[in-house]
Amino acid sequence: MQKTQLISSVLTSALLLSSLFSFGGKIAQAQRAQRPVSLLNSKCVNSGLGTVRQENLDVSIGRAVYTSRFYLGPGNRSASLTCSIKPEKSSRPPFQTLSLGFGIRDNDTKSPGVDVKVYLDGNQAETRTVAPGQQTSLALDVSNASNVAIEAVCTSQSQYCDRVYFFTAALERQSAPAQPKK
């Protein structure tokens, strides 16, 4: 009798643990699927006259510290980065939203403002002007886009514009369709 209870108890525990691991694995898999992807993980090229550099650097913008992932240095013209966000073997882009956060450092006080323009498949989708010590963010629907270009244009033709630092450049995936219950 005790052996039967022991075996029953072990089997019940094994089934309970198995269901917990299975459920936990599905949660982890769902969390991984929803995790944002860095824009810089895409195929990207420098497509402007100015400087584009990927560099993790702590900067002060608006008296707050941000970790910049890359910067666009327009100089007295412009700098731009173009990225292909559609996987080559897919007929539809897997991303829903592009989130950008950027600004000009606090200590670049003499810099003119910089127009940051975002293009989706060559069409201008958004423009934001940033000044020294100012940060801004935006989110764009990229569900129908294959390419994203970010351009920093100096607002002055006679003065040198400092770098625009990007502390957020994340692509968020489209949510998977709900699976029917079995």
Side-chain angles (χ1 to χ4, degrees):
M1 180 79 164
Q2 285 181 335
K3 278 187 176 182
T4 307
Q5 285 179 335
L6 179 63
I7 292 171
S8 174
S9 161
V10 168
L11 286 175
T12 302
S13 296
L15 285 172
L16 181 62
L17 282 173
S18 171
S19 66
L20 284 175
F21 283 126
S22 174
F23 182 69
K26 288 179 182 175
I27 290 173
Q29 188 177 19
Q31 287 174 337
R32 271 194 304 276
Q34 298 306 316
R35 196 175 295 157
V37 174
S38 172
L39 176 65
L40 299 177
N41 287 351
S42 305
K43 186 186 306 183
C44 297
V45 295
N46 177 347
S47 55
L49 302 170
T51 305
V52 176
R53 181 154 302 136
Q54 182 177 345
E55 178 180 31
N56 288 338
L57 181 67
D58 291 335
V59 294
S60 173
I61 303 171
R63 294 186 171 80
V65 176
Y66 296 92
T67 301
S68 169
R69 303 296 174 210
F70 70 98
Y71 66 79
L72 298 177
N76 57 4
R77 296 186 196 155
S78 67
S80 62
L81 176 73
T82 301
C83 300
S84 173
I85 62 170
K86 179 180 173 185
E88 293 176 19
K89 296 177 182 167
S90 174
S91 61
R92 113 184 149 97
F95 300 109
Q96 180 71 39
T97 306
L98 169 64
S99 298
L100 294 173
F102 52 91
I104 299 176
R105 295 184 304 179
D106 291 337
N107 57 342
D108 294 333
T109 58
K110 296 191 186 307
S111 177
V114 175
D115 290 332
V116 177
K117 301 176 181 184
V118 182
Y119 297 85
L120 302 177
D121 293 332
N123 300 309
Q124 190 170 333
E126 188 76 45
T127 300
R128 296 282 171 93
T129 302
V130 289
Q134 180 185 24
Q135 65 88 20
T136 189
S137 59
L138 58 95
L140 294 162
D141 180 357
V142 294
S143 59
N144 293 316
S146 297
N147 294 282
V148 172
I150 305 168
E151 181 180 35
V153 180
C154 186
T155 58
S156 171
Q157 298 201 352
S158 61
Q159 283 184 280
Y160 184 87
C161 284
D162 281 308
R163 300 169 180 165
V164 177
Y165 291 88
F166 288 79
F167 49 87
T168 304
L171 292 162
E172 296 172 28
R173 297 195 180 280
Q174 293 180 348
S175 49
Q179 298 292 327
K181 291 186 178 182
K182 294 179 182 179

